[in-house]
Amino acid sequence: MTNKEGNDKQPQVSIDKLIHEPARLKILAQLYVVESADFIFIMRQTGLTQGNISGHLTKLEDSEYVEIKKGYAGKRPQTMISFTKKGREAFKKYVLNMRHLFDGLID
Amino acid sequence: MEQKIDLKQLEKKTAQEIFKTGIVDIGIGLVFIVSSLVMIFDDISYYIIIFFIVPIVFISLAVKYIANPRMGVVKFTRRRVRNSKLLTIIITVFLVITVTLTIFVGGNIVTDLINPRFLISSIIFSIFVAIAYSLNFDRMYIYAFLLAGAFYLSEKIRENDWFISEGGYAYLFASIVLIVIGGVYLIRFLKKNPLPEKDITYDK
């Protein structure tokens, strides 16, 4: 394959590295199929630890990919997490890019 | 990453989480215990609405105090919520018809006109299949067959007047099966998901 410069290099594919990290991908995939979920639900579904999820959520929140709302359910603290519009679009784009990347891959 | 991420399957699996608790099975089992008691003791038919409150209260409290603290809380997509609302309306309409018919059957008002038990059982069977299909609750298909079997048995008992005279016992048996299955799932859920010792929340 020849690129714009005429080199035989593979084409550039835009992969969002923030989403591509396996643990974050698990969290985001889980969030993508729901409107919102609380911290415990994400923890149970992904099998990740509290510290691990907190770390990843901080990065995702800083990038405005997820929105985190802290509150209470009765006396227990509850953290609800949801995709932002930007985050949902980025995840959709990531999925499409990954599909295109491996299009035509021979078994 | 070790496993493939299938978003459709993931959504389905997420929606099925609540059914892993067994709470819904027990709640439906309680509804059918009430129904069977009404069939067996005709004189309580007029209190059926009060008795139906018990399963509803059980499901609400169990979800709030057993499932949510262990499993977490999830809000589904608008599409799924809209489908659930539509299903709830359909089920409510069917339940009102069923309760009304049951009350009339208790008063022997429609007994001579139609086969009311067949009609009620058909409605209940339809409700179960609708729930199973709409909510991806696969176990519910088995319950639909179980209750269809209970219907068949109850009709046989009523026609042949076997060692027990009242067909409602067949529904009572079916509802006990539901509660036992639900109980097994609930125990498994409690073992697998113990109550967190400390409050689990997001720490930045």
Side-chain angles (χ1 to χ4, degrees):
Chain A
M1 192 174 287
T2 309
N3 64 8
K4 279 179 186 174
E5 289 79 34
N7 300 325
D8 285 341
K9 287 180 181 173
Q10 286 188 8
Q12 288 282 320
V13 179
S14 165
I15 293 296
D16 191 332
K17 286 181 182 171
L18 191 70
I19 298 175
H20 197 60
E21 199 283 326
R24 280 199 288 275
L25 186 56
K26 263 186 175 183
I27 295 169
L28 291 175
Q30 187 60 60
L31 281 175
Y32 187 75
V33 298
V34 298
E35 192 74 26
S36 61
D38 79 349
F39 196 89
I40 299 175
F41 192 83
I42 297 288
M43 205 173 97
R44 297 280 192 219
Q45 296 304 307
T46 58
L48 300 168
T49 63
Q50 185 179 357
N52 206 345
I53 295 175
S54 288
H56 290 303
L57 284 180
T58 302
K59 284 181 186 169
L60 291 167
E61 192 186 24
D62 290 345
S63 308
E64 297 176 345
Y65 275 19
V66 298
E67 188 183 8
I68 297 170
K69 283 182 186 167
K70 283 190 159 193
Y72 281 88
K75 289 178 181 176
R76 283 176 171 269
Q78 189 182 53
T79 309
M80 293 301 291
I81 305 137
S82 60
F83 254 121
T84 59
K85 200 178 173 187
K86 181 186 171 186
R88 196 167 277 274
E89 288 302 317
F91 188 80
K92 271 185 199 172
K93 197 177 167 190
Y94 168 82
V95 174
L96 284 173
N97 281 340
M98 289 301 284
R99 277 192 195 141
H100 288 150
L101 182 63
F102 296 109
D103 262 356
L105 188 72
I106 300 162
D107 286 332
Chain B
M1 178 137 331
E2 289 165 14
Q3 74 270 43
K4 180 186 166 189
I5 295 178
D6 183 334
L7 292 172
K8 277 186 183 170
Q9 280 300 317
L10 188 62
E11 194 206 13
K12 191 177 168 186
K13 186 180 161 286
T14 306
Q16 288 171 332
E17 280 303 307
I18 188 66
F19 304 128
K20 288 181 184 170
T21 63
I23 290 169
V24 179
D25 310 58
I26 296 172
I28 294 168
L30 288 173
V31 170
F32 278 92
I33 279 191
V34 171
S35 307
S36 59
L37 289 178
V38 170
M39 286 182 189
I40 295 165
F41 306 104
D42 283 345
D43 54 342
I44 63 166
S45 303
Y46 294 100
Y47 304 104
I48 191 168
I49 291 170
I50 299 167
F51 292 126
F52 269 117
I53 290 171
V54 175
I56 293 166
V57 169
F58 167 79
I59 291 177
S60 306
L61 293 178
V63 168
K64 189 176 179 183
Y65 294 106
I66 298 173
N68 285 353
R70 291 171 170 82
M71 190 180 81
V73 178
V74 61
K75 287 181 185 168
F76 291 103
T77 53
R78 283 179 197 150
R79 181 181 55 81
R80 191 169 271 278
V81 170
R82 202 170 49 236
N83 289 348
S84 299
K85 279 182 184 168
L86 185 68
L87 181 70
T88 308
I89 292 167
I90 293 167
I91 289 170
T92 308
V93 170
F94 275 124
L95 275 178
V96 168
I97 295 169
T98 310
V99 169
T100 310
L101 280 173
T102 310
I103 291 168
F104 282 142
V105 171
N108 292 321
I109 295 167
V110 293
T111 315
D112 298 331
L113 297 174
I114 48 172
N115 185 339
R117 290 210 174 108
F118 175 76
L119 187 63
I120 293 166
S121 301
S122 302
I123 292 169
I124 291 165
F125 180 79
S126 307
I127 290 171
F128 270 67
V129 171
I131 295 171
Y133 181 77
S134 306
L135 302 181
N136 304 122
F137 187 6
D138 298 339
R139 212 153 61 238
M140 195 66 90
Y141 289 112
I142 298 168
Y143 295 157
F145 278 108
L146 181 72
L147 288 154
F151 154 71
Y152 179 79
L153 201 59
S154 74
E155 284 296 292
K156 280 284 177 192
I157 292 168
R158 195 176 61 83
E159 285 167 15
N160 299 321
D161 201 9
W162 290 342
F163 61 97
I164 46 172
S165 57
E166 190 48 67
Y169 285 107
Y171 280 103
L172 186 64
F173 173 76
S175 54
I176 288 169
V177 171
L178 254 74
I179 289 173
V180 169
I181 292 171
V184 171
Y185 272 90
L186 184 60
I187 291 166
R188 276 169 56 179
F189 172 76
L190 293 175
K191 279 185 179 173
K192 199 177 168 189
N193 301 286
L195 202 61
E197 286 177 11
K198 61 182 175 104
D199 293 332
I200 295 177
T201 186
Y202 168 61
D203 293 319
K204 200 167 184 177

